[in-house]
């Protein structure tokens, strides 16, 4: 992860300094912003590989900033929320955040989540020996480039979390996958067994596929008391 850059959005100077120093010691380049205006100034100078975004900020809150970031970029976003605020977590995921962490937290847990997301999103500098292309319901998913295009060639703007979920479905079609399985495959050890945000990510994925192609309905169906089923036929290209 050496050379990866992080934009840390945190209005508490003490917490921001402690986290920035910790991440710098872990070989990350860190830019700190304390409000929405500072975020815009930072983004004019740097292109971060990941954003850590506190929800409670002066002026423009973290949810609004998340919405703006997602409208312009697919940069991975980890949101910092109050431990008990489930509503903020759900809204953050609906707006496109890739993960969240409740305060207070262990910096080592944050580091583990950062590394997990960056491992999933970084691309190798050399070309893979063979591109893994999967066609389904008029879409083409490139599992190495982590991209999805429509049959007309239009890119479907998926977040890292949404693509991870789609990859799970594409690799295991026509099988009922439980929420626990999907959490384990997409978030690994950081998954909470009571986490229901897989449902939010599934909903976002469905909407984006249907928005890209209105005929793409019922690709992912809900199985009551079971989980989710990816019903489209998969063709290796």
């Amino acid at each position: 992860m050496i050379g990866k850059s992080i934009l840390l959005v945190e209005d508490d100077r003490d917490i921001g300094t402690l986290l920035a120093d910790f991440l710098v010691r872990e070989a990350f380049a860190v830019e700190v912003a304390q409000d929405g205006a500072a975020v815009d100034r930072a983004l004019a100078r740097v292109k971060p590989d990941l954003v850590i975004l506190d929800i409670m900020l002066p002026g423009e809150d973290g949810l609004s900033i998340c919405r703006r970031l997602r409208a312009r970029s697919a940069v991975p976003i980890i949101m910092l929320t109050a431990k008990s605020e489930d509503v903020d977590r759900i809204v953050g995921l609906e707006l496109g955040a890739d993960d969240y962490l409740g305060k207070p937290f262990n910096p080592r847990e944050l580091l583990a989540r950062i590394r997990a997301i960056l491992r999933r999103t970084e691309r190798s500098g050399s070309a893979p020996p063979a591109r893994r292309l999967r066609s389904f319901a008029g879409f083409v998913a490139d599992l190495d480039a982590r991209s999805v295009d429509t049959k007309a060639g239009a890119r479907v703007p998926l977040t890292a979390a949404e693509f991870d979920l789609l990859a799970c479905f594409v690799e295991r079609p026509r099988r009922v996958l439980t929420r626990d399985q999907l959490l384990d495959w997409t978030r690994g050890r950081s998954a909470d067994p009571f986490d229901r945000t897989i449902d939010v990510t599934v909903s976002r994925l469905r909407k984006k596929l249907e928005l890209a192609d209105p005929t793409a309905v019922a690709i992912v169906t809900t199985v009551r008391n079971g989980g989710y089923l990816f019903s489209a036929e998969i063709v290796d290209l």
Side-chain angles (χ1 to χ4, degrees):
M1 300 300 176
I2 293 177
K4 295 296 184 179
S5 62
I6 293 176
L7 174 58
L8 171 61
V9 188
E10 170 61 68
D11 65 310
D12 187 306
R13 291 182 181 274
D14 292 336
I15 294 176
T17 298
L18 288 172
L19 281 180
D21 289 346
F22 171 75
L23 293 171
V24 167
R25 290 197 298 272
E26 297 296 331
F28 292 99
V30 182
E31 183 90 11
V32 181
Q34 295 178 325
D35 55 31
V39 168
D40 292 336
R41 291 194 296 270
L43 292 176
R45 298 190 306 272
V46 299
K47 185 178 180 180
D49 296 295
L50 182 141
V51 175
I52 301 171
L53 178 59
D54 191 11
I55 284 186
M56 299 299 294
L57 296 170
E60 184 181 17
D61 65 25
L63 294 175
S64 175
I65 295 174
C66 179
R67 183 187 295 108
R68 291 201 294 114
L69 288 175
R70 190 51 72 228
R72 63 193 283 187
S73 170
V75 61
I77 299 172
I78 297 178
M79 301 208 74
L80 304 180
T81 72
K83 197 72 174 180
S84 61
E85 294 301 324
D86 289 338
V87 172
D88 285 343
R89 298 180 187 185
I90 296 298
V91 173
L93 289 168
E94 288 176 339
L95 292 175
D98 296 281
D99 202 352
Y100 63 83
L101 194 58
K103 290 184 175 182
F105 57 85
N106 187 320
R108 286 286 170 187
E109 182 178 1
L110 175 62
L111 178 63
R113 294 182 184 229
I114 291 170
R115 286 176 169 166
I117 289 177
L118 291 178
R119 277 196 300 269
R120 297 196 299 264
T121 56
E122 68 183 0
R123 300 176 185 175
S124 172
S126 58
R131 293 179 68 187
R132 296 178 299 155
L133 300 177
R134 305 287 188 270
S135 173
F136 64 94
F139 295 92
V140 175
D142 187 329
L143 300 181
D144 295 301
R146 295 178 61 82
S147 63
V148 180
D149 295 321
T150 67
K151 54 190 174 185
R155 181 61 48 86
V156 183
L158 300 183
T159 67
E162 291 160 1
F163 188 88
D164 289 338
L165 186 62
L166 177 64
C168 286
F169 287 131
V170 168
E171 296 284 57
R172 304 166 183 85
R174 300 187 177 181
R175 286 173 48 188
V176 177
L177 305 179
T178 68
R179 291 177 177 83
D180 287 344
Q181 287 176 318
L182 292 170
L183 275 170
D184 185 55
W185 290 327
T186 59
R187 293 181 60 188
R189 294 180 180 178
S190 67
D192 182 334
F194 299 104
D195 194 334
R196 306 293 293 182
T197 53
I198 278 292
D199 303 311
V200 178
T201 311
V202 169
S203 177
R204 282 171 24 207
L205 176 61
R206 282 172 172 156
K207 289 178 181 177
K208 288 189 176 181
L209 292 177
E210 291 175 12
L211 183 63
D213 183 352
T215 66
V217 295
I219 292 178
V220 182
T221 57
T222 302
V223 179
R224 187 172 182 179
N225 298 323
Y228 293 100
L229 174 69
F230 191 81
S231 58
E233 179 181 358
I234 303 295
V235 177
D236 293 348
L237 301 180

